[in-house]
Amino acid sequence: MKRHANPKPSKEGLQHLESVAREAFPQYTLRFCSHGDLGGHRAPRDHTLAFRLIDARGKFRSNVIWVMPQSLRSWTADRVRRAVDESNGK
């Protein structure tokens, strides 16, 4: 079986990123966006995943943060905080 060069995200990887994002920002919810959701021309690569933080009222609290599917399990709460700060221009 041939492996795809751009693998789709695993369920475990998505759950891990949700968990560390909840640890970093307990007041917000993580919303995943796929390559096609944001307009295919904006994604750095096919099968790239993005996320944004949303508050309880549905307002976005971060810009789009791109993540490679194979690196989901390596994210930490600190890395999420840094990525959100950088995406927001801080």
Side-chain angles (χ1 to χ4, degrees):
M1 177 189 286
K2 186 176 180 181
R3 290 187 85 141
H4 196 283
N6 297 318
K8 291 186 179 185
S10 69
K11 184 176 179 178
E12 295 82 12
L14 296 173
Q15 290 171 339
H16 171 77
L17 186 55
E18 281 183 295
S19 174
V20 296
R22 195 171 19 257
E23 181 183 333
F25 296 97
Q27 70 275 30
Y28 301 139
T29 302
L30 190 71
R31 177 173 296 168
F32 288 108
C33 315
S34 70
H35 175 261
D37 295 340
L38 299 169
H41 65 283
R42 292 190 185 108
R45 288 179 59 178
D46 191 22
H47 291 279
T48 308
L49 180 71
F51 70 87
R52 293 183 82 177
L53 295 177
I54 301 176
D55 67 16
R57 295 170 57 190
K59 185 174 179 180
F60 289 112
R61 294 299 176 176
S62 75
N63 287 314
V64 174
I65 300 166
W66 295 102
V67 182
M68 295 305 295
Q70 60 270 28
S71 72
L72 289 173
R73 307 269 323 234
S74 67
W75 280 67
T76 63
D78 285 337
R79 186 172 177 191
V80 171
R81 282 187 207 98
R82 283 193 313 270
V84 169
D85 285 348
E86 288 174 12
S87 80
N88 291 340
K90 295 181 183 176

